[in-house]
Amino acid sequence: MALKMKSSTPIRVREVWAENLVDEFSLIKEAISRFSFVSLDTEFPGTLFLSNLDKSLLSQAPPSHNYSLMKYNVDLLKIIQLGMTLSDSQGNLPSLGTEFHYVWQFNFRDFNIEHDPYNDESIGLLERQGIDLKKNREKGIDSSDFAWMVLTSGLVFNNCSITWITFHGAYDFGFLIKILTRRELPCDMASFLGMVSFFFGVRVYDTKFMMGSISGLRGGLERVAKLLGVERTTGRRHQAGSDSLLTQQTFVRFKDSCANLDLENLNGCEGMIFGLCEGWLGFDRTPEVYIETSTRLIKPQFKEVFSV
């Protein structure tokens, strides 16, 4: 039987562009005090660097190999969309005083198909799923403006107040770290994971890692959601807002029906990002990041990391 929402209230995706970025973050700032579980998804122009390992061995690849591959791709590519679903510890979504529940979809202008590298197959898929790259260029958010809003929103530097949820989240956090620091990702995995903890705190959970101990529960988000009886309730596959909601619903279903986990007490899985977590026991130094820590924050400037 497919998962039914706790409420019959319909869910809407709030599309965020440059013109309404400030207003939407004002709503997010107000909502996170009650809805402090943040589920993420990112859409980007595919991957250009591929593993040289045989496909049968990819699941056994060392974390350093996976990190290097992710770093090369994130450094090279530019984000297109980011989806964000806020919920409380029971999985309920904010209504913002209306008759609907809401999730957010941020549309970025950074990617230019005329100049920037991309994977043809991935871009074709995103366009077929309804992403309008021309509109993104004309009306989308500059990632430097998005970084400033995140840094001043209360979403980051909150340590134990915010819980972050992803599904196979290495690329999600990779793009966020790149946006927030305005730099390429660190050369070593330990520094990257240190940055994840520095910005996002200790309550970081990757559902794909968590489900590894459940026999038969394998595959991507769409497949795992179906195996758990979770139906997509709004939007389309490979649109970031809809996928962030499916990530949130899959996480709730997993902890309720498979793992019998208390959403407030997920000891043992914190910071364990799928593919990057073998042997990771935490960071022992504050990561070097390009953030002004004085009482007067300086708005970060965007730095191009690749051009052709």
Side-chain angles (χ1 to χ4, degrees):
M1 181 180 294
L3 172 68
K4 300 297 184 181
M5 294 297 294
K6 295 177 183 295
S7 168
S8 59
T9 304
I11 301 172
R12 296 284 178 89
V13 176
R14 298 182 72 89
E15 296 280 358
V16 188
W17 307 90
E19 64 181 9
N20 65 334
L21 177 64
V22 173
D23 291 340
E24 292 302 316
F25 259 100
S26 294
L27 296 174
I28 289 171
K29 286 179 184 180
E30 294 179 8
I32 58 175
S33 61
R34 290 184 53 213
F35 302 93
S36 59
F37 289 75
V38 184
S39 300
L40 294 175
D41 180 76
T42 54
E43 298 297 337
F44 49 92
T47 54
L48 296 179
F49 290 98
L50 303 176
S51 176
N52 57 6
L53 295 178
D54 185 90
K55 286 186 178 181
S56 64
L57 300 175
L58 283 177
S59 62
Q60 303 171 28
S64 58
H65 176 88
N66 296 331
Y67 177 72
S68 295
L69 199 62
M70 185 270 286
K71 170 182 162 54
Y72 292 147
N73 281 300
V74 171
D75 286 348
L76 179 67
L77 300 167
K78 295 178 181 176
I79 193 170
I80 294 175
Q81 278 187 344
L82 183 142
M84 184 183 297
T85 295
L86 304 183
S87 63
D88 63 16
S89 61
Q90 301 302 312
N92 301 301
L93 309 181
S95 65
L96 307 178
T98 73
E99 59 184 317
F100 303 105
H101 285 147
Y102 292 104
V103 303
W104 281 267
Q105 181 165 278
F106 298 88
N107 301 280
F108 293 91
R109 71 178 308 274
D110 299 49
F111 175 70
N112 186 338
I113 198 169
E114 300 295 329
H115 303 291
D116 295 322
Y118 61 90
N119 180 299
D120 287 330
E121 183 177 343
S122 297
I123 284 295
L125 174 62
L126 294 180
E127 290 183 318
R128 289 193 299 274
Q129 293 304 105
I131 293 179
D132 186 339
L133 297 175
K134 183 174 184 292
K135 184 176 181 180
N136 273 43
R137 283 295 297 166
E138 294 173 351
K139 298 185 177 183
I141 304 158
D142 190 296
S143 62
S144 63
D145 295 327
F146 178 80
W148 176 246
M149 298 306 299
V150 170
L151 290 168
T152 57
S153 67
L155 283 168
V156 292
F157 309 126
N158 244 326
N159 199 22
C160 294
S161 298
I162 304 293
T163 299
W164 296 88
I165 301 165
T166 64
F167 187 96
H168 205 165
Y171 278 83
D172 300 326
F173 285 115
F175 275 104
L176 271 173
I177 294 294
K178 176 184 172 181
I179 288 171
L180 293 176
T181 62
R182 319 313 302 163
R183 291 181 174 183
E184 295 181 356
L185 297 183
C187 292
D188 64 286
M189 187 179 71
S191 294
F192 171 75
L193 292 172
M195 285 185 174
V196 173
S197 293
F198 180 71
F199 284 111
F200 305 105
V202 297
R203 296 178 63 84
V204 171
Y205 301 100
D206 188 328
T207 309
K208 188 171 178 66
F209 169 79
M210 294 170 63
M211 71 186 193
S213 62
I214 307 298
S215 177
L217 200 54
R218 300 287 186 273
L221 175 61
E222 197 82 13
R223 180 177 186 273
V224 170
K226 288 181 179 179
L227 288 172
L228 292 174
V230 179
E231 291 182 346
R232 189 179 295 274
T233 54
T234 191
R236 303 172 68 178
R237 182 183 181 188
H238 293 302
Q239 289 219 2
S242 178
D243 279 355
S244 73
L245 175 62
L246 190 63
T247 296
Q248 182 266 346
Q249 293 173 332
T250 301
F251 177 85
V252 172
R253 180 68 166 179
F254 170 76
K255 69 94 184 174
D256 284 346
S257 62
C258 293
N260 193 28
L261 296 171
D262 179 358
L263 213 57
E264 294 287 0
N265 185 26
L266 295 175
N267 294 330
C269 296
E270 296 91 344
M272 305 300 277
I273 300 174
F274 182 82
L276 305 183
C277 57
E278 182 180 287
W280 173 244
L281 298 176
F283 67 103
D284 57 8
R285 63 183 185 277
T286 300
E288 295 179 1
V289 292
Y290 188 61
I291 298 296
E292 173 65 51
T293 57
S294 67
T295 55
R296 179 177 176 270
L297 289 169
I298 306 299
K299 185 174 181 179
Q301 299 297 309
F302 177 68
K303 175 187 175 184
E304 289 272 348
V305 297
F306 186 89
S307 60
V308 293

